[in-house]
Amino acid sequence: MTRWVLGHRRLVILVWLVLAAAGIATVGDTVDRLSQGSELPGRPGQQANDLIRERFGGTGGRNAPLLVEVTVPDGRRADEAEVRDAFDAAVRRATPPGGRHASFASTGDPALISADGRSTVALVYPPGGEGPKAYGDAPARVRAAVAGVRIAGAPVGVTGRPLLSGRDNGAARSPIAETLLGALGALVVLGLTFAGGLALIPLLTAAIAIPTTFLLVGGLTRVTDVSFIVQYLVALIGLGIAIDYALLVATRWREERDRAGGPDPAGRVEAIVRAATTAGRAVLLSGATVALSLAALVVLPVPFLRSVGYAGLLMPLVSVAVTLTLLPVLLYVCGARLDVPRRTRRPEGRAWSAIARATTRRPVLAAVLGGALLLALAAPALTMRVGQPQVTALGRGGEPARVFAAIDGAGFGTGIAQPIEVATDGEPEALARRLAAEPGVAGTIAPAGWNSGGLRVVDVWTAEDPATDAGRAAVGRVLAAARAMPGVHAGGGPAQDRDFADAVYGALPLVLAAIAVFTFLVLMRSLRSIWLPVKALVLNTVSVAAAYGAVVLIWQKGYGSELLFDTPATGAITVWVPMAVFAFLFGLSMDYEVFILTRIREAHLDLAARGVRDTTEEAVVIGIGRTGRLVTSAALILFLAFVALSTVPVTDVKILATALGVGIVVDATIVRGVLAPALVTLMGRANWWFPHHAGGPRGGRGVDGPEHAEHPGVASGPARTLDRIDAEPPRPETG
């Protein structure tokens, strides 16, 4: 395939340029077509929210209200006629056309007046759609309507989850800035890795892969809903994957060229073919494992995550295609010109070879220490709570945060930022009194104006944030009490969040089983081993658990969230993040495992062909020595991409980026640098055991049977000369 690509260079370049240009031209339309919703068809919370939004002009349901507040000076009361009427007028003026509101003047409910009588709050539901920008410019218009309004000398303020989250206040933006930041960091790492202009080639492949992936995502949006979060994943995770794959092949090409390529055209071709035959095969295997991990999301009964799986698997597939077709052409056309200064290089990194040798000499100690450290990092994951972040963690400074602090301090209850909306065709006042009696409920309102065709809506909110244990328990009691009554439908954000968690984590065993089975089968067939894939699965699982533990410490418990992100503890991990982290991190971590194991197996077969009896320890040293620096650079590039992702001003995305960044660092250091070589050394000849089909080569021998001939890097095509090449000293290039 590589020889064909090199023989049709102009065609290959033209095809990829056309695809990338089409992706760039249509990226705006693609982003506009991304879905903003997170629906859960068939779930009771979704059904209640759909009913409320249908009857009340698209207001409420899952979408949290905006909160309008005023606190009058000492000596005045918010329920005075003058204050009450002025505040109600301001709220009516701020409510967008088609919206609904509730204030003390319109309901007479004391739940909207603070215990000391000085503060009052109103709930405003603008009409809107679904997702992070459900209200469009409505929050800005509401703020503008009350800007400068003072009642009894006190300013009127506006807050709420849509404003605090940074999603509906104009803070959320396209991923262009983050992508440029990640690309700049990648260029620095590539420059240090290649020490020359060759660093530009992986960036160029990424510049082709990302818009091409967006082009395919655009086609996907025309047949199914695709979540808005895909744009961040394609731009930033896609950047890291594309660069990593190109880095792997370009590094191997440089090694093969230094050893045997030579300056003549035939030598240039042979070096590229050898790199594609060995490193390209590892890239193909890595891309398959990443795609399989993400494709497992499609089995979830959650359209939001299913779309992430559909679109996410396109990233590695496109990156693999670019790496195996366009990259060889770029290396042939300009690789030698850009790779300066030309000098003979050692294929093994001295530092990583030394680390591998120390690990293989004391594998038990290395395995125990590395395993203990990973388990210690993973331990906090046992206390993980999933749900929406606490409201107090969404805003940091600014007017919305100040106003919400005043509401919370006045004793209205933190849960007022996300009430439970209960629809009934019965008597709403009686329903409100019944639900107000549930422990943990801070307030209920049943506005007379919230009536459409005989359907009435009651809002209920908890004293504690629904993200906390106490708030979650109170929400559960309210939902159970409401749904036990005939003709009552309980929805709102807290109800749908619980349904989301049940849908995602109820299917967790199925997802884990699908990922494990598919990954095992791919690795087993490619590595020709039973136990190497088992080891890889175990290490990846522990690595993901360590990332969970770190994100619980940083975000749920707040150890470092203020220092790193200037944000207090969220109290919970966003409900969809752990599943997305597992799918992405499991696949990305397997990348490094595949890179290393492929090189270890190649060294094992080469040593066995030379007659070396005990090959495992030396193969580990060679494999780690030749991939350690590469894996470190690749992991650093992905880590910088996640750092760029963490600058998105949305708390959910920051949590996701933190988990992925920590997971990649842990995986590339503790797991691949210590645990993997130690366990491969301890397993010895068992690493290479593989049962063959009846009538084929006899199984179990591994090192001295015909299996050697099956390895494409040793005995197929031009790579058959690798044994001879390894025995020869590098030839300096001329010309």
Side-chain angles (χ1 to χ4, degrees):
M1 186 186 74
T2 303
R3 292 183 187 279
W4 185 92
V5 165
L6 293 177
H8 299 78
R9 297 188 295 276
R10 292 183 180 178
L11 176 62
V12 171
I13 292 175
L14 178 62
V15 169
W16 283 115
L17 285 179
V18 169
L19 290 174
I24 293 172
T26 59
V27 67
D29 180 65
T30 296
V31 171
D32 290 340
R33 296 176 65 88
L34 295 177
S35 171
Q36 304 294 324
S38 54
E39 294 83 2
L40 292 168
R43 298 282 174 168
Q46 180 73 56
Q47 292 173 341
N49 289 335
D50 289 344
L51 177 63
I52 292 170
R53 292 177 54 77
E54 178 186 347
R55 293 288 189 91
F56 291 90
T59 64
R62 180 181 177 84
N63 294 336
L66 299 173
L67 304 175
V68 183
E69 181 270 348
V70 68
T71 299
V72 297
D74 286 332
R76 302 295 301 271
R77 289 186 59 86
D79 54 359
E80 294 176 8
E82 180 184 354
V83 174
R84 179 195 64 200
D85 293 342
F87 183 70
D88 187 59
V91 170
R92 291 179 181 276
R93 186 168 57 252
T95 303
R100 55 187 169 98
H101 70 274
S103 65
F104 177 73
S106 63
T107 66
D109 199 306
L112 299 178
I113 297 288
S114 64
D116 63 5
R118 291 180 51 212
S119 299
T120 184
V121 64
L123 283 67
V124 176
Y125 286 101
E130 292 282 346
K133 292 188 176 181
Y135 288 152
D137 62 349
R141 297 198 338 252
V142 172
R143 296 181 72 182
V146 300
V149 175
R150 303 182 74 86
I151 297 176
V156 177
V158 181
T159 186
R161 286 190 73 96
L163 287 168
L164 291 167
S165 66
R167 291 174 166 181
D168 280 314
N169 63 358
R173 56 180 184 264
S174 72
I176 295 177
E178 289 81 5
T179 305
L180 293 176
L181 178 62
L184 180 61
L187 180 60
V188 172
V189 176
L190 291 170
L192 295 174
T193 302
F194 289 114
L198 194 62
L200 296 175
I201 289 184
L203 277 178
L204 184 57
T205 61
I208 297 294
I210 292 174
T212 302
T213 306
F214 268 111
L215 178 65
L216 297 178
V217 170
L220 196 62
T221 61
R222 299 182 183 276
V223 295
T224 186
D225 288 338
V226 179
S227 172
F228 76 98
I229 202 171
V230 166
Q231 61 183 319
Y232 298 109
L233 304 181
V234 169
L236 290 165
I237 299 181
L239 174 74
I241 291 176
I243 291 177
D244 277 4
Y245 290 167
L247 173 63
L248 175 67
V249 175
T251 302
R252 187 59 182 262
W253 164 80
R254 174 192 262 185
E255 180 184 329
E256 296 295 344
R257 192 201 63 169
D258 285 349
R259 292 198 302 183
D264 58 284
R268 288 160 61 190
V269 170
E270 290 307 311
I272 294 172
V273 170
R274 290 189 185 102
T277 305
T278 53
R281 184 170 182 269
V283 164
L284 182 61
L285 177 57
S286 299
T289 57
V290 176
L292 285 172
S293 296
L294 291 169
L297 291 177
V298 305
V299 305
L300 292 173
V302 181
F304 162 67
L305 284 177
R306 191 180 297 158
S307 73
V308 172
Y310 283 132
L313 66 86
L314 294 175
M315 295 186 296
L317 296 181
V318 172
S319 296
V320 167
V322 172
T323 302
L324 297 184
T325 57
L326 180 62
L327 180 60
V329 175
L330 296 177
L331 292 175
Y332 182 88
V333 173
C334 56
R337 296 187 183 95
L338 293 175
D339 190 21
V340 292
R342 296 175 180 173
R343 55 186 174 84
T344 301
R345 308 170 181 86
R346 288 175 52 88
E348 296 89 0
R350 293 182 179 179
W352 278 103
S353 294
I355 292 173
R357 203 167 292 281
T359 301
T360 55
R361 285 174 181 169
R362 295 177 175 82
V364 175
L365 178 62
V368 170
L369 292 179
L373 183 56
L374 271 187
L375 291 176
L377 286 173
L382 298 174
T383 63
M384 179 187 292
R385 292 196 299 263
V386 294
Q388 290 298 323
Q390 293 185 30
V391 181
T392 53
L394 295 178
R396 190 64 172 173
E399 182 67 9
R402 184 199 65 77
V403 175
F404 188 78
I407 292 174
D408 195 25
F412 287 103
T414 312
I416 195 173
Q418 197 170 18
I420 303 166
E421 290 225 290
V422 184
T424 179
D425 53 12
E427 177 57 45
E429 289 78 10
L431 176 62
R433 290 192 297 271
R434 167 67 182 85
L435 297 180
E438 291 294 331
V441 172
T444 62
I445 56 173
W450 291 4
N451 184 352
S452 177
L455 186 71
R456 301 283 299 274
V457 172
V458 174
D459 268 14
V460 184
W461 63 88
T462 57
E464 301 294 332
D465 195 299
T468 65
D469 289 337
R472 183 182 292 105
V475 168
R477 288 189 291 266
V478 171
L479 294 178
R483 290 169 179 170
M485 304 178 191
V488 175
H489 307 273
Q496 196 157 334
D497 290 341
R498 289 175 68 92
D499 289 345
F500 196 99
D502 292 341
V504 171
Y505 297 101
L508 182 61
L510 179 60
V511 174
L512 296 182
I515 292 177
V517 170
F518 289 146
T519 304
F520 175 80
L521 292 176
V522 170
L523 292 179
M524 179 188 69
R525 181 65 184 86
S526 301
L527 296 174
R528 309 294 292 174
S529 171
I530 294 294
W531 295 111
L532 283 179
V534 172
K535 177 197 68 64
L537 290 172
V538 172
L539 288 184
N540 269 31
T541 302
V542 179
S543 179
V544 173
Y548 285 164
V551 83
V552 167
L553 287 176
I554 294 173
W555 282 105
Q556 182 174 309
K557 299 183 181 298
Y559 296 110
S561 62
E562 297 214 30
L563 176 64
L564 296 174
F565 303 100
D566 194 29
T567 303
T570 59
I573 306 303
T574 308
V575 64
W576 59 268
V577 167
M579 184 59 70
V581 166
F582 183 89
F584 276 100
L585 193 57
F586 194 88
L588 294 174
S589 298
M590 194 63 76
D591 264 0
Y592 304 142
E593 183 79 3
V594 168
F595 294 167
I596 294 172
L597 291 181
T598 300
R599 203 62 188 266
I600 290 175
R601 184 175 185 272
E602 183 181 328
H604 153 71
L605 293 175
D606 183 45
L607 292 169
R610 297 182 185 185
V612 178
R613 297 302 303 170
D614 189 6
T615 63
T616 301
E617 183 173 330
E618 188 62 27
V620 169
V621 174
I622 294 173
I624 296 295
R626 294 188 178 185
T627 59
R629 182 170 53 193
L630 169 65
V631 168
T632 302
S633 299
L636 184 55
I637 289 170
L638 265 181
F639 175 76
L640 293 176
F642 297 143
V643 170
L645 184 64
S646 71
T647 64
V648 174
V650 179
T651 303
D652 301 354
V653 179
K654 291 180 183 291
I655 297 174
L656 173 67
T658 302
L660 294 177
V662 171
I664 285 295
V665 170
V666 168
D667 189 81
T669 53
I670 301 174
V671 176
R672 310 307 164 198
V674 178
L675 276 176
L679 292 179
V680 171
T681 302
L682 289 173
M683 290 163 64
R685 291 176 61 86
N687 290 294
W688 322 116
W689 181 79
F690 186 74
H692 293 275
H693 293 293
R698 294 183 181 181
R701 295 187 298 176
V703 296
D704 49 10
E707 179 188 334
H708 182 103
E710 296 176 4
H711 183 53
V714 175
S716 71
R720 290 172 179 163
T721 58
L722 279 181
D723 293 342
R724 177 180 57 79
I725 293 171
D726 283 344
E728 295 175 356
R731 296 186 300 182
E733 289 187 357
T734 59

